[in-house]
């Protein structure tokens, strides 16, 4: 079942994108329904981060369109795009915290830039967000003093600080221990409910992600392989999706980065040349 | 064929850098609205370079005094030592050496800092938070560099002429009369010498900071890119400073 007939916040149509000769997206349609958690899954290097950057308007597709709340992201002026981005939160894969600011100041950053709230309220909001990700105690630390997993949690707190309409989580669960993973999963879900957010969740942790999302897409090789409810994905009979879900190295999806030379030629190439 | 490629690549880079300069200048009012950021940057840039600028100023003033004294003494004109040192420092060595030191110390670290911010997605993270990194990160640093350079060059000159270098060697060690050291400077040096010196260091300030920030902002987002940005900042800005110095001198001291 696809999320048709629903209120769609982000609508991707016939998206084509390539880095030079390397095609990342070859005509994909993706709908992100409003108020839901939508998972984007796919093998490493398939272009999930790229998709988030295209939605955020950082990169420009060669063809096709991305609509956010009815407006084409790539047809906005810079000022309009910035207005649009105030309604998007993004958690970068590596956190992307500002290294010259403390954890507290990092979460306060979007508030200070855009909210115009008085200092006392900023403080309260920041502490509440940090408490939610279990890092209120780390408020005074600098990014270099916290671990990668902690940094990602701070980035999560920062991404939702302005209570945007859309939050894009790029691999929020990597590097988390089972406890914080459980907490974060519940947090993504509760934030979505409590603040009425729309969430896009990019992750490799198939089972966990499916358990908290309303819809899911599996992308690979520049195409959408499967879309639907978590149940539909789990029971998919598509061999490519099965291979991805069951984690088999051999199958229709190539585990290796594409190359035109075969392995034997490459290995023997040095001697032959 | 290859030469055409190199030339067109150079022109493309030059165009890109020029565009970058205009974007920075357009963002300067935004930087003025954040005086705290600018002051912070002046402090950190100034602190980076202050000690080496002061020490280099002292040594260069001292060497000028030694060399100048040898020549002047032959003509019995050693009382003119002060003005010889002052001309050399104010007109040339103050602005030029300060700019070279600034490029090596502050410029390289500026390029590395910005390059690293780019490589770790901090700049695109800002963009995604609807904050323009040119306004928030680049422009305050540019402005701070513009302010810091003439200040540092003045400190260099003070150290070289008065506090330690020329005065220490000339008056204290070689026995030039203290009164004539200063009175010669006073009567020999004109206000326009100082103004031209300040103009030089402001121009060098624009050049070095522009190059450093451009290199950092356009670095390839990986460790190799950051390393390359740092190196080329020092190499390119040193060459540009020396070339500009020639051009400015040719125009100003005719
Ligand atoms: N700046 C770039 N220039 C050229 N190619 C790039 C660039 N960024 C990414 N790529 C390529 O685009 C492809 C998709 O990258 P992307 O980061 O979107 O993958 P991903 O699905 O997020 O992978 P992962 O799960 O490992 O994070 C990769 O194969 C990568 O080699
Ligand atoms: Mg990724």
């Amino acid at each position: 079942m696809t999320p048709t007939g629903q209120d769609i916040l982000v609508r991707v149509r016939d998206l084509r994108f390539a880095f030079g000769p390397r095609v990342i997206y070859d005509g994909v349609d993706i709908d992100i329904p409003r108020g839901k958690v939508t998972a984007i899954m796919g093998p490493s290097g398939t272009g999930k981060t790229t998709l988030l950057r295209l939605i955020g308007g950082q990169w420009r597709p060669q063809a096709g369109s991305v609509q956010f709340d009815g407006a084409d992201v790539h047809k906005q002026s810079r000022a309009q795009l910035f207005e649009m981005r105030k309604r998007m939160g993004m958690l970068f894969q590596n956190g992307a915290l500002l290294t010259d600011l403390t954890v507290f100041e990092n979460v306060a950053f979007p508030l200070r830039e855009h909210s115009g709230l008085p200092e006392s309220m900023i403080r309260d909001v920041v502490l509440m967000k940090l408490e939610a990700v279990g890092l209120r105690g780390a408020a005074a630390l600098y990014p270099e003093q916290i671990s990668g997993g902690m940094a990602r949690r701070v980035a999560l707190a920062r991404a939702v600080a302005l209570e945007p309409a859309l939050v894009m989580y790029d691999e929020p669960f990597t590097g988390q221990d089972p406890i914080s993973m459980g907490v974060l999963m519940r947090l993504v879900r509760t934030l979505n409910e409590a603040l009425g957010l729309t969430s896009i969740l990019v992750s490799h942790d198939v089972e966990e992600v499916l358990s908290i999302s309303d819809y899911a897409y599996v992308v690979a090789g520049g195409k959408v392989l499967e879309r639907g409810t978590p149940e539909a994905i789990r029971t998919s009979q598509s061999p490519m999706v099965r291979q991805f879900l069951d984690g088999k190295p051999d199958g229709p999806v190539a585990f290796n980065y594409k190359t035109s030379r075969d392995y034997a030629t490459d290995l023997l190439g040095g001697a032959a040349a | 064929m290859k030469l055409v490629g190199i030339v067109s690549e150079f022109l493309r880079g030059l165009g890109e850098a020029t565009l970058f300069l205009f974007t920075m200048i357009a963002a300067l009012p935004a930087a003025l609205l954040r005086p705290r950021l600018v002051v912070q940057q002046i402090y950190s840039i100034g602190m980076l370079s202050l000690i080496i600028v002061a020490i280099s100023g002292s040594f260069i003033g001292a060497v000028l005094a030694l060399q100048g004294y040898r020549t002047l003494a032959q003509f019995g004109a050693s009382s003119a030592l002060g003005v010889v040192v002052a001309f050399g420092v104010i007109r040339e060595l103050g602005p030029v050496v300060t700019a070279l030191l600034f490029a090596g110390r502050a410029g390289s670290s500026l390029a590395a800092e910005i390059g690293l911010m780019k490589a770790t997605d901090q700049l695109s993270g800002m963009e995604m938070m609807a904050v323009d990194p040119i306004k928030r990160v680049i422009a305050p640093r540019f402005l701070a560099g513009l302010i810091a350079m003439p200040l540092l060059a003045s400190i260099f000159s003070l150290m070289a002429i008065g506090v330690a270098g020329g005065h220490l060697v000339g008056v204290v060690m070689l026995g030039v009369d203290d009164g004539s050291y200063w009175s010669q400077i006073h009567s020999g040096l004109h206000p326009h010498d100082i103004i031209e010196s300040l103009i030089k260091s402001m121009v060098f300030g624009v050049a070095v900071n522009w190059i450093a920030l451009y290199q950092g902002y356009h670095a390839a987002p990986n460790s190799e890119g950051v390393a390359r940005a740092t190196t080329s900042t020092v190499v390119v800005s040193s060459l540009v400073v020396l070339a500009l110095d020639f051009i400015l001198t040719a125009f100003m001291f005719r």
Side-chain angles (χ1 to χ4, degrees):
Chain A
M1 188 186 100
T2 48
T4 44
Q6 297 209 15
D7 190 5
I8 305 298
L9 182 64
V10 179
R11 193 188 301 270
V12 176
R13 283 294 170 270
D14 195 28
L15 185 76
R16 287 163 205 275
F17 182 78
F19 283 114
R22 186 167 158 72
V23 176
I24 308 295
Y25 285 109
D26 190 12
V28 295
D29 295 343
I30 291 176
D31 289 322
I32 309 291
R34 196 189 296 268
K36 308 282 186 200
V37 178
T38 304
I40 310 278
M41 301 182 296
S44 175
T46 217
K48 303 182 295 297
T49 301
T50 305
L51 178 66
L52 298 187
R53 287 187 190 269
L54 286 163
I55 293 175
Q58 288 209 315
W59 288 340
R60 191 167 273 282
Q62 273 86 21
S65 68
V66 176
Q67 286 192 356
F68 174 74
D69 211 2
D72 191 323
V73 173
H74 300 97
K75 290 199 174 120
Q76 309 294 310
S77 71
R78 194 168 161 81
Q80 287 170 322
L81 185 62
F82 271 29
E83 276 312 308
M84 207 178 240
R85 284 179 182 164
K86 289 182 191 167
R87 302 171 55 217
M88 301 178 176
M90 176 144 166
L91 184 153
F92 280 75
Q93 202 161 357
N94 58 15
L97 297 180
L98 301 169
T99 42
D100 57 343
L101 300 180
T102 60
V103 164
F104 181 97
E105 286 301 323
N106 263 286
V107 180
F109 184 83
L111 296 165
R112 288 198 201 291
E113 292 290 331
H114 300 309
S115 75
L117 291 174
E119 185 58 33
S120 63
M121 280 181 76
I122 289 186
R123 201 185 116 84
D124 291 349
V125 174
V126 172
L127 291 180
M128 274 160 54
K129 301 294 179 203
L130 282 176
E131 176 71 20
V133 296
L135 288 174
R136 190 167 47 85
L141 299 180
Y142 280 89
E144 73 216 27
Q145 297 168 313
I146 62 180
S147 72
M150 289 162 80
R152 221 163 277 126
R153 275 145 74 192
V154 176
L156 195 159
R158 184 177 70 175
V160 297
L162 278 175
E163 308 196 346
L166 171 73
V167 187
M168 298 186 265
Y169 303 96
D170 197 353
E171 308 275 2
F173 305 138
T174 355
Q176 305 296 344
D177 61 74
I179 300 174
S180 24
M181 174 127 172
V183 171
L184 287 186
M185 280 169 52
R186 271 192 300 281
L187 186 65
V188 169
R189 197 64 241 188
T190 31
L191 282 173
N192 205 77
E193 243 85 289
L195 304 177
L197 303 178
T198 300
S199 309
I200 303 179
L201 186 53
V202 164
S203 182
H204 291 129
D205 304 291
V206 177
E207 225 2 87
E208 289 79 357
V209 171
L210 286 181
S211 74
I212 58 163
S213 44
D214 300 304
Y215 291 100
Y217 284 81
V218 180
V219 291
K223 297 279 187 197
V224 171
L225 296 186
E226 191 70 88
R227 61 179 74 197
T229 62
E231 209 31 58
I233 303 276
R234 279 199 198 93
T235 54
S236 166
Q237 289 311 309
S238 151
M240 296 200 255
V241 176
R242 285 260 55 93
Q243 186 209 343
F244 177 68
L245 296 183
D246 303 340
K248 294 199 210 82
D250 285 315
V253 182
F255 163 72
N256 290 304
Y257 192 94
K258 233 182 267 166
T259 166
S260 53
R261 297 187 308 268
D262 70 34
Y263 190 33
T265 324
D266 246 4
L267 279 181
L268 300 173
Chain B
M1 210 46 218
K2 192 140 176 250
L3 189 70
V4 173
I6 292 172
V7 169
S8 77
E9 183 64 17
F10 173 77
L11 289 178
R12 199 189 55 79
L14 200 64
E16 206 177 62
T18 310
L19 203 65
F20 183 73
L21 179 65
F22 288 134
T23 326
M24 276 196 303
I25 291 172
L28 281 183
L32 285 170
L33 289 177
R34 302 163 181 277
R36 222 169 53 92
L37 280 181
V38 178
V39 172
Q40 245 172 31
Q41 287 302 321
I42 294 178
Y43 180 80
S44 65
I45 290 175
M47 275 301 152
L48 277 180
S49 327
L50 184 62
I51 305 277
I52 55 164
V53 163
I55 293 177
S56 312
S58 309
F59 278 120
I60 286 185
V63 169
L64 276 182
L66 285 177
Q67 296 283 12
Y69 185 81
R70 262 171 51 186
T71 316
L72 290 171
Q74 287 175 7
F75 307 102
S78 60
S79 62
L81 184 65
V83 74
V84 168
V85 172
F87 272 149
V89 168
I90 302 243
R91 287 179 170 173
E92 282 300 329
L93 294 165
V96 172
V97 178
T98 305
L100 296 178
L101 293 171
F102 186 91
R105 191 75 182 88
S108 60
S109 89
L110 217 50
E113 185 193 14
I114 305 294
L116 214 59
M117 286 182 85
K118 187 178 184 197
T120 53
D121 276 338
Q122 293 184 53
L123 298 182
S124 43
M126 252 183 218
E127 291 221 350
M128 277 308 295
M129 289 186 278
V131 174
D132 186 349
I134 298 277
K135 290 186 182 150
R136 178 64 173 65
V137 177
I138 303 295
R141 282 167 174 75
F142 186 56
L143 186 58
L146 300 193
I147 297 171
M149 182 72 88
L151 290 178
L152 288 167
S154 309
I155 291 170
F156 181 101
S157 301
L158 284 178
M159 294 302 288
I161 300 165
V163 182
H167 187 261
L168 185 72
V169 168
V171 176
V172 180
M173 284 167 55
L174 299 174
V176 175
D177 178 57
D178 194 26
S180 56
Y181 184 86
W182 288 116
S183 69
Q184 288 280 342
I185 291 179
H186 205 77
S187 55
L189 210 61
H190 295 285
H192 66 80
D193 289 316
I194 296 182
I195 290 169
E196 282 165 6
S197 170
L198 286 175
I199 290 175
K200 271 192 179 180
S201 57
M202 281 185 232
V203 172
F204 298 160
V206 172
V208 175
N209 286 291
W210 172 22
I211 291 167
L213 291 168
Y214 173 78
Q215 292 287 350
Y217 199 75
H218 287 85
N222 50 50
S223 46
E224 200 201 345
V226 175
R228 192 174 308 165
T230 319
T231 317
S232 37
T233 293
V234 177
V235 174
V236 175
S237 45
S238 301
L239 292 177
V240 167
V241 163
L242 294 172
L244 280 176
D245 183 49
F246 171 72
I247 295 169
L248 289 174
T249 309
F251 272 101
M252 295 196 301
F253 301 122
R254 270 178 304 186

